[in-house]
Amino acid sequence: MKVKETIRNGWLDAIRTAIDAGTGAGKIKFYDGTQPATGAAVTTQNLLGTVLFQDPCAPAATGGVLTFATPLVDDDDADATGNATWARITDSADQFVCDCSVGLSGSGADIILNAVNIAEGGIVRVNSGTLTAGNA
């Protein structure tokens, strides 16, 4: 299916609006374990660390791409040690926006990190990010 660019931009802008809901910056929360069903409660998975978006998280989408404002705010004191396998994006009040797979370059994951192993007390960093609503 090929979708008109304005529709793709609108879909991405709806995600941007959801991330920016609340009174502060949206979040990317990194977890280990198995990703739950879409939006389901986190149960046995461990929160490894939380990176904050800028507020607002991005300008309007163009060309079917939402480019997040940088720098994203590092977590300078990771919560736990483990391998990040998925992440939950929320607004500032921890309301669900979307879940994403996490992996290394070449893995095909939604979020690519230079290392998925996170150490308690260490730094969790995301240098930049985009969401693309493409016409495959």
Side-chain angles (χ1 to χ4, degrees), residues 99-126:
D99 287 337
C100 305
S101 58
V102 174
L104 300 172
S105 180
S107 69
D110 301 315
I111 298 176
I112 304 300
L113 297 176
N114 64 341
V116 295
N117 53 327
I118 294 174
E120 182 175 354
I123 296 173
V124 181
R125 176 175 294 141
V126 175

Side-chain angles (χ1 to χ4, degrees), residues 9-60:
N9 290 341
W11 178 71
L12 292 166
D13 286 340
I15 294 171
R16 175 178 53 96
T17 297
I19 294 170
D20 287 339
T23 59
K27 305 170 185 177
I28 307 173
K29 297 177 168 191
F30 291 92
Y31 291 92
D32 66 4
T34 302
Q35 181 177 323
T38 304
V42 175
T43 55
T44 60
Q45 303 86 350
N46 295 304
L47 176 64
L48 303 177
T50 303
V51 171
L52 299 178
F53 288 101
Q54 292 292 314
D55 190 16
C57 70

